[in-house]
Amino acid sequence: MEDPLYQLKQHDKEIKLLIHCRALLDWDQETYMPEKAIDERAEQIALLERLIHERVTSPAMGSLLEKIGVNDENPDGPGKYTDIERALVREMYRRYRKAIKLPDILVAEIAQKACIAQSRWAVAKRESDFTLFAPHLQTLVSLIREKADHLGYNTDPYEPLLDDYEPWMDPVDLDRLFENLKPELKVLQQHITEKGRKIEKGFLSREYAEEKQKTFGLFILEKMGFDERKGRLDISAHPFTTSAGSSDVRLTTRYNRHNLNTGVFGIIHECGHGLYDLGFSRALWQTLLANGTSLGIHESQSRLWENIIGKGLPFWQAFYPRLQALFPESLGDVDVINFYRGINAVEPSFIRVEADELTYNLHIILRYTLEKALINEELTVHELPEAWREESAKLLGIKPERDADGVLQDIHWSGGAFGYFPTYTLGNLYSAQFYMTMKKEIADIEEEVKKGNLLVIRDWLTHNIHIHGSVYPALKLCRKVTGEELNPHYFIAYLTQKYGEIYGI
Amino acid sequence: MEDPLYQLKQHDKEIKLLIHCRALLDWDQETYMPEKAIDERAEQIALLERLIHERVTSPAMGSLLEKIGVNDENPDGPGKYTDIERALVREMYRRYRKAIKLPDILVAEIAQKACIAQSRWAVAKRESDFTLFAPHLQTLVSLIREKADHLGYNTDPYEPLLDDYEPWMDPVDLDRLFENLKPELKVLQQHITEKGRKIEKGFLSREYAEEKQKTFGLFILEKMGFDERKGRLDISAHPFTTSAGSSDVRLTTRYNRHNLNTGVFGIIHECGHGLYDLGFSRALWQTLLANGTSLGIHESQSRLWENIIGKGLPFWQAFYPRLQALFPESLGDVDVINFYRGINAVEPSFIRVEADELTYNLHIILRYTLEKALINEELTVHELPEAWREESAKLLGIKPERDADGVLQDIHWSGGAFGYFPTYTLGNLYSAQFYMTMKKEIADIEEEVKKGNLLVIRDWLTHNIHIHGSVYPALKLCRKVTGEELNPHYFIAYLTQKYGEIYGI
């Protein structure tokens, strides 16, 4: 009889191959697919999703897990295994336990409906008309509610949904975290508005030719250590990163001729995700451990690169001359300090992905509040646009008039992703905590960045975080890397110091 | 109990969805995939190939076909079905009968090895070094031989291989066809060389910026009626067309700054394939009848467009002014008659895809002879490059010195495609016969083309050929459309008339 662990790994490898095939179909849909192909693409994706689900929940999988002796009492598997093997067994069991609760047909239906909804969302956003998207969103909310019911929960159907993106995180803990964060952010914002110096950022909406933005973006990717033999950068309406193989990471971005931030920081952000996906230890390749351990940790990578590094002064001391040389007419009269201040200006705005690091989290709290209400049936799809405007007024002090600037701006819900948004703010919290540890371990890190050496950052992150894939759950990884629990204090301290300098307060 | 035909259709639809997924992976590999992704891509493709094969040969499939009453004695299924249903059952049975002879593991191994071999072939071709490719070709020849043994044959292992691309065609008939064709082609060629006027074609290797070639190519695609909402054009090392859905056809081409023919006629050729794939009756979508009925018929479409239309005088009377306006420096001193003669110059050359319509078929006979010898073990992989040079000398009177100009020029063998090449010449024969019928039915067809109206051609082909998919086998389709058997006389007559005018003989 063959070793059950070996057999389990063979099953898992086939699942991973199918996941990567599916990812390529998704990527293609958002980048190159002709528009009339969408209906069949939805069926293709639904089929792959069903094949994956069938394999994850197969009786063979169940009996192999049983043979190995992993169960609710022993979720880690036997002690004779290596740490990686135990983690593999743990994650396979967790996936299995969750997946067997879901009917095949529901999984395929969500995949198919989400694929269609996503393409309708894109149209609705272009037309800025929520009514075009509403029926599709309604369908998805019902299906996702149904999914939550199958998965089960203690008090809140949001629990198992959040768990898809941030395993082991309880919405009650998240509520507390956000409740504590909200006043601190609002106080800091008020302080900046009332006492901070005026910051000029008009130059960011001058003319920036897309081709040159791309040139600069590719240069930064190379500096960050992104291997172009293992990945690529394309254009899509909503930027994302996905893996079609262990050595095949696809980043996308979009460019705006009159908003320099969109392209540049979008690329740095996605590359942060991409480096995580390319950094898993080879021992984990083609297993389900070759995955970010949670989306919060994934976002910690993208947002550490985008904000702490990419919106930091040392970064621009290194690379601003090159940017300025590419855009002499738009940046010739802006020095590096004013550029640095401009890209960091704090100001309430409509669009999440273009928000500053402080108000960004208010955007997240808004979405978190609304999606929980939708899932808990405290809010209808019909009421959503108005609720968005009201929450926006409460949290940010501004009300979007156009649906495209409000409820339609993000792709997530159209893909059935409820429970995803809070991971962005978790990512911010983790990133600040990781960076403080990095700074302790590499004393001259800012000097290195100032010299243009970003590989020192990439290597630290790879060594401490990326190689582990999902061997350690997020909160445990945080303890392992930083020596303590997730602590929002680091993020607040980081913001306070950064904006203190920028705003002279 | 559910209707077995309905169930069969459900099985077939799932197979078709997987075939389209596989096609997208292939397309991506040749267009956008990062180079380090190749090994896992090979595994992904092998897995999909195995899943397809499992479904094609599943016991459920076998028992449904049995229930319906299709078997070797009744290969068309019961008379109570519609013509399309009978064809569907016939083709499913044919596929099933052939596929159950092949072990799953061999199918997956060929797919995986071919994927790797293809990427190594690309390197070998770039380096013009056959030895880099030889071991991979050796592996493939052995595997394909093994495949032929499993499939079975009367006297020649080439039989079941040819049948993959040109169903119902016997190599013995092909031998006879080619033996008759060869002297006629050589006589015509000699006649042209000895008595024809001198034709100037040097202007074709002047400077043609790629971006402008693309502009012209997209313009022609539109004129041909290629719907950009249902397909796209990209760049690859070896041009091809593939379908990732009923409304998702991917064309590729390549451009050469100093060879105008490569891009322009490559695009017209691939679009000919693409229109076939987009022209299937909607009733056939997502079934295995939504497929060219043979590669010979598929090539008849691409080569009719490329040569009979695209290299015809009326076409350039319509579109030459636009081409000239795009390239005033390279074409300003060339009038339409000299342009037309230049693109049709007959001359032995090394590269098949750039050959004139006459010598092209000698290139095919060369490949057909060699691949049959390889499969019949009358020739080793080691001896292949020299055999290529000798055959080339015999057939074309010239010997390529570089492997890249000889044995390495074509992608087919690297993908395990033995039995494919002869379909190009079959395509030429069919195309001339179809065109003669079209001319009879649309008397003023050349006048229409001269006015730039290519839709009249597209519509005739769609109505007479495309909509049928593989409802009719190739030879039967030929009779249905033209009223007679495949008759090489039409092709020879076409060449004789065309070159008679061009060369003034």
Side-chain angles (χ1 to χ4, degrees):
Chain A
M1 200 194 75
E2 280 204 275
D3 171 29
L5 183 64
Y6 173 80
Q7 288 180 270
L8 213 50
K9 282 180 183 170
Q10 291 303 107
H11 281 279
D12 187 38
K13 180 178 163 179
E14 185 165 311
I15 293 167
K16 195 74 179 192
L17 288 171
L18 288 170
I19 288 171
H20 283 154
C21 292
R22 196 213 132 120
L24 189 77
L25 268 65
D26 285 332
W27 170 83
D28 180 72
Q29 181 185 335
E30 299 297 321
T31 51
Y32 295 111
M33 190 188 77
E35 62 179 269
K36 291 273 188 189
I38 182 66
D39 291 342
E40 265 183 49
R41 178 57 51 86
E43 294 191 72
Q44 293 160 359
I45 285 175
L47 171 59
L48 291 182
E49 194 67 25
R50 180 164 66 72
L51 295 180
I52 292 165
H53 187 69
E54 279 171 9
R55 280 156 181 73
V56 167
T57 58
S58 72
M61 181 71 83
S63 80
L64 285 168
L65 288 165
E66 204 182 312
K67 255 185 219 162
I68 280 174
V70 60
N71 50 50
D72 289 350
E73 281 71 47
N74 299 298
D76 282 339
K80 64 175 178 176
Y81 287 166
T82 66
D83 282 0
I84 288 179
E85 287 167 348
R86 296 190 82 189
L88 184 64
V89 168
R90 178 195 76 220
E91 289 299 312
M92 289 184 85
Y93 182 66
R94 211 171 62 80
R95 179 172 68 178
Y96 174 76
R97 284 283 291 150
K98 208 167 168 179
I100 50 169
K101 295 177 184 164
L102 296 176
D104 290 10
I105 196 163
L106 179 64
V107 171
E109 194 180 359
I110 290 174
Q112 192 250 338
K113 290 292 197 304
C115 184
I116 298 291
Q118 207 149 306
S119 81
R120 299 301 183 273
W121 162 79
V123 175
K125 183 178 175 183
R126 201 166 57 223
E127 311 275 323
S128 191
D129 182 354
F130 181 73
T131 62
L132 298 175
F133 175 53
H136 300 282
L137 183 59
Q138 183 58 64
T139 304
L140 279 177
V141 170
S142 304
L143 288 168
I144 297 293
R145 242 328 279 238
E146 200 182 317
K147 178 180 163 182
D149 287 343
H150 281 289
L151 292 173
Y153 49 86
N154 292 321
T155 57
D156 185 350
Y158 193 78
E159 289 163 20
L161 306 180
L162 178 63
D163 184 74
D164 270 357
Y165 305 101
E166 199 64 27
W168 316 104
M169 176 66 81
D170 188 323
V172 174
D173 295 332
L174 208 51
D175 283 341
R176 196 164 37 229
L177 208 61
F178 284 4
E179 279 313 312
N180 290 335
L181 206 56
K182 196 157 63 174
E184 297 221 53
L185 293 170
K186 297 198 80 164
V187 165
L188 184 54
Q189 190 197 354
Q190 205 176 351
H191 196 55
I192 289 169
T193 312
E194 287 169 5
K195 308 211 174 137
R197 64 163 73 96
K198 190 167 159 32
I199 286 184
E200 177 51 52
K201 55 175 267 191
F203 60 87
L204 291 169
S205 45
R206 290 174 182 169
E207 179 81 18
Y208 298 94
E210 295 187 4
E211 205 44 52
K212 288 192 201 172
Q213 288 193 50
K214 186 179 169 191
T215 302
F216 186 74
L218 292 175
F219 164 74
I220 293 296
L221 287 188
E222 197 196 323
K223 283 285 168 189
M224 287 172 71
F226 186 78
D227 185 344
E228 61 164 10
R229 295 166 310 163
K230 296 183 178 178
R232 47 180 295 119
L233 174 66
D234 296 275
I235 291 177
S236 71
H238 197 94
F240 67 95
T241 295
T242 194
S243 294
S246 311
S247 299
D248 189 356
V249 166
R250 314 282 172 117
L251 318 179
T252 73
T253 191
R254 59 184 166 190
Y255 302 102
N256 182 332
R257 285 184 83 82
H258 293 289
N259 185 341
L260 182 62
N261 282 6
T262 308
V264 170
F265 296 108
I267 289 171
I268 299 173
H269 178 99
E270 298 305 332
C271 184
H273 284 303
L275 291 175
Y276 192 3
D277 290 344
L278 286 173
F280 305 132
S281 159
R282 200 161 180 135
L284 309 182
W285 284 15
Q286 300 197 317
T287 77
L288 91 170
L289 296 177
N291 221 357
T293 194
S294 80
L295 281 195
I297 299 295
H298 231 307
E299 288 298 324
S300 80
Q301 301 306 293
S302 54
R303 297 193 59 81
L304 188 150
W305 277 107
E306 177 189 359
N307 294 323
I308 302 181
I309 306 303
K311 287 189 176 159
L313 185 56
F315 184 93
W316 291 106
Q317 285 170 323
F319 303 120
Y320 188 62
R322 180 173 282 250
L323 188 71
Q324 219 175 10
L326 275 166
F327 301 106
E329 291 181 8
S330 294
L331 294 176
D333 62 346
V334 182
D335 68 15
V336 68
I337 294 292
N338 284 318
F339 180 80
Y340 165 65
R341 287 179 182 165
I343 58 173
N344 282 296
V346 172
E347 167 180 288
S349 61
F350 294 134
I351 307 297
R352 173 183 63 86
V353 295
E354 286 161 10
D356 60 84
E357 293 172 68
L358 195 162
T359 61
Y360 184 95
N361 303 287
L362 301 171
H363 285 270
I364 295 304
I365 293 172
L366 179 157
R367 286 152 180 78
Y368 173 66
T369 309
L370 295 181
E371 71 179 9
K372 267 184 68 171
L374 275 174
I375 294 298
N376 279 291
E377 293 172 340
E378 291 156 5
L379 182 70
T380 66
V381 165
H382 177 70
E383 295 162 340
L384 184 62
E386 191 46 36
W388 185 291
R389 281 187 282 271
E390 277 169 31
E391 276 298 310
S392 182
K394 258 196 273 177
L395 282 161
L396 293 155
I398 54 174
K399 266 192 186 188
E401 281 183 23
R402 301 175 64 246
D403 290 341
D405 295 333
V407 66
L408 284 178
Q409 70 182 272
D410 286 315
I411 196 171
H412 305 63
W413 292 339
S414 78
F418 293 84
Y420 187 123
F421 280 119
T423 68
Y424 288 107
T425 285
L426 288 173
N428 288 335
L429 305 184
Y430 280 124
S431 73
Q433 193 164 337
F434 289 148
Y435 188 65
M436 290 303 145
T437 307
M438 197 194 300
K439 263 177 98 166
K440 266 186 242 158
E441 295 183 10
I442 312 171
D444 60 346
I445 190 138
E446 291 186 356
E447 279 307 305
E448 289 298 324
V449 173
K450 203 169 151 180
K451 283 188 280 182
N453 177 11
L454 302 181
L455 295 182
V456 64
I457 312 267
R458 199 270 313 254
D459 291 346
W460 190 92
L461 292 171
T462 298
H463 181 74
N464 286 280
I465 295 164
H466 304 171
I467 52 162
H468 299 304
S470 39
V471 170
Y472 306 105
L475 293 164
K476 195 167 166 190
L477 181 69
C478 179
R479 277 198 300 277
K480 184 177 158 68
V481 174
T482 71
E484 61 175 307
E485 303 298 311
L486 174 60
N487 182 348
H489 161 76
Y490 290 106
F491 181 57
I492 295 295
Y494 157 76
L495 289 184
T496 306
Q497 200 212 338
K498 178 170 184 173
Y499 291 119
E501 280 170 25
I502 290 171
Y503 280 93
I505 46 180
Chain B
M1 200 195 73
E2 280 204 275
D3 170 29
L5 183 64
Y6 173 80
Q7 287 181 272
L8 213 50
K9 282 180 182 170
Q10 291 303 107
H11 281 279
D12 187 39
K13 180 176 163 179
E14 186 165 311
I15 293 167
K16 194 76 179 192
L17 288 171
L18 287 170
I19 287 171
H20 283 154
C21 292
R22 197 213 131 121
L24 189 77
L25 268 65
D26 286 332
W27 169 83
D28 179 71
Q29 181 185 334
E30 299 298 320
T31 51
Y32 295 110
M33 189 188 76
E35 62 179 89
K36 291 274 188 186
I38 182 66
D39 291 341
E40 266 183 49
R41 178 57 51 86
E43 294 191 71
Q44 293 160 359
I45 285 175
L47 171 59
L48 291 182
E49 195 67 26
R50 180 164 66 72
L51 295 180
I52 292 165
H53 187 70
E54 279 171 7
R55 278 155 181 75
V56 166
T57 59
S58 72
M61 182 71 83
S63 80
L64 285 168
L65 288 165
E66 204 183 311
K67 255 185 219 161
I68 280 173
V70 60
N71 51 49
D72 289 351
E73 282 70 48
N74 299 297
D76 282 339
K80 66 174 177 177
Y81 288 166
T82 66
D83 282 359
I84 288 180
E85 286 168 350
R86 295 190 83 190
L88 183 63
V89 168
R90 179 195 76 220
E91 289 300 312
M92 288 184 85
Y93 181 66
R94 212 172 62 81
R95 180 172 67 178
Y96 173 76
R97 285 283 292 151
K98 207 166 169 180
I100 51 169
K101 297 178 184 163
L102 296 176
D104 291 9
I105 196 163
L106 179 64
V107 172
E109 194 180 357
I110 291 174
Q112 193 250 339
K113 291 292 198 300
C115 184
I116 298 291
Q118 207 150 306
S119 81
R120 300 299 185 270
W121 162 79
V123 174
K125 182 178 176 184
R126 201 167 56 224
E127 311 274 322
S128 191
D129 182 353
F130 182 73
T131 62
L132 298 176
F133 175 53
H136 300 281
L137 182 59
Q138 184 58 65
T139 304
L140 279 177
V141 170
S142 305
L143 288 169
I144 297 294
R145 238 336 273 237
E146 198 181 325
K147 178 180 163 180
D149 288 341
H150 280 288
L151 291 173
Y153 49 85
N154 292 322
T155 57
D156 184 350
Y158 193 78
E159 290 163 20
L161 305 180
L162 177 63
D163 185 75
D164 271 357
Y165 305 102
E166 198 64 28
W168 315 104
M169 176 64 83
D170 188 324
V172 174
D173 296 331
L174 207 52
D175 283 341
R176 195 164 36 229
L177 209 61
F178 284 4
E179 278 314 311
N180 291 335
L181 205 56
K182 197 157 65 176
E184 298 220 52
L185 293 171
K186 296 196 82 164
V187 165
L188 183 55
Q189 189 196 354
Q190 206 176 349
H191 196 55
I192 289 170
T193 313
E194 287 169 6
K195 307 213 175 133
R197 64 163 74 94
K198 190 168 157 31
I199 285 185
E200 177 51 53
K201 55 175 268 190
F203 60 86
L204 292 168
S205 45
R206 290 175 182 168
E207 179 82 17
Y208 297 95
E210 295 186 4
E211 205 43 51
K212 287 192 202 170
Q213 288 193 49
K214 187 180 169 189
T215 302
F216 186 74
L218 292 175
F219 164 74
I220 293 297
L221 288 188
E222 198 195 322
K223 284 285 168 190
M224 288 172 71
F226 185 78
D227 185 344
E228 62 164 9
R229 296 166 310 163
K230 295 183 178 178
R232 45 178 299 118
L233 173 67
D234 296 276
I235 292 177
S236 71
H238 197 95
F240 66 95
T241 295
T242 194
S243 294
S246 312
S247 300
D248 189 356
V249 165
R250 314 282 172 117
L251 318 178
T252 73
T253 192
R254 59 184 167 192
Y255 301 102
N256 182 333
R257 285 184 83 82
H258 293 288
N259 185 342
L260 182 63
N261 282 7
T262 308
V264 171
F265 296 108
I267 290 171
I268 298 174
H269 177 99
E270 298 305 332
C271 184
H273 284 303
L275 291 175
Y276 193 2
D277 290 342
L278 286 174
F280 305 132
S281 158
R282 199 157 181 136
L284 310 182
W285 284 13
Q286 299 196 321
T287 77
L288 91 170
L289 297 177
N291 220 359
T293 193
S294 79
L295 281 195
I297 299 295
H298 231 307
E299 287 299 324
S300 79
Q301 301 307 293
S302 54
R303 296 191 61 80
L304 188 150
W305 277 107
E306 177 189 0
N307 294 324
I308 302 182
I309 307 303
K311 287 189 178 159
L313 185 57
F315 183 93
W316 291 106
Q317 286 170 323
F319 303 120
Y320 189 61
R322 180 174 282 251
L323 187 72
Q324 220 176 11
L326 275 166
F327 301 106
E329 291 181 8
S330 296
L331 294 175
D333 61 347
V334 182
D335 69 17
V336 67
I337 294 292
N338 284 318
F339 180 79
Y340 164 64
R341 288 179 182 167
I343 58 173
N344 281 296
V346 171
E347 163 180 291
S349 61
F350 294 134
I351 306 297
R352 173 182 63 85
V353 294
E354 285 160 11
D356 60 83
E357 293 173 68
L358 195 162
T359 61
Y360 185 93
N361 303 287
L362 302 171
H363 285 272
I364 294 305
I365 293 172
L366 179 157
R367 285 153 181 76
Y368 173 65
T369 309
L370 295 181
E371 72 179 10
K372 268 185 67 171
L374 274 175
I375 293 299
N376 278 293
E377 291 172 341
E378 292 156 5
L379 181 71
T380 66
V381 165
H382 178 69
E383 294 162 340
L384 184 61
E386 190 47 35
W388 185 291
R389 280 188 282 270
E390 278 169 30
E391 277 297 311
S392 182
K394 256 196 277 177
L395 283 161
L396 293 156
I398 54 173
K399 264 192 187 189
E401 281 183 22
R402 301 175 64 246
D403 290 341
D405 295 332
V407 66
L408 284 177
Q409 70 182 270
D410 286 315
I411 197 171
H412 306 63
W413 292 339
S414 77
F418 293 84
Y420 188 122
F421 280 120
T423 68
Y424 288 107
T425 286
L426 288 174
N428 288 335
L429 304 184
Y430 280 124
S431 72
Q433 193 163 338
F434 289 149
Y435 188 65
M436 289 304 146
T437 307
M438 197 193 303
K439 263 177 97 165
K440 265 186 243 159
E441 294 183 11
I442 312 171
D444 60 346
I445 189 139
E446 291 186 358
E447 280 308 306
E448 287 299 324
V449 173
K450 205 169 150 181
K451 285 188 279 180
N453 177 11
L454 302 181
L455 295 183
V456 63
I457 311 269
R458 199 271 314 255
D459 291 346
W460 190 91
L461 293 171
T462 299
H463 181 72
N464 285 281
I465 294 164
H466 304 171
I467 51 162
H468 300 306
S470 38
V471 171
Y472 307 105
L475 294 164
K476 196 167 166 190
L477 181 70
C478 180
R479 277 198 301 277
K480 184 177 158 67
V481 174
T482 70
E484 60 176 307
E485 303 298 309
L486 174 60
N487 182 348
H489 161 75
Y490 291 105
F491 182 57
I492 294 296
Y494 157 76
L495 288 185
T496 306
Q497 199 210 340
K498 177 169 183 173
Y499 290 120
E501 279 170 25
I502 290 172
Y503 279 93
I505 46 181

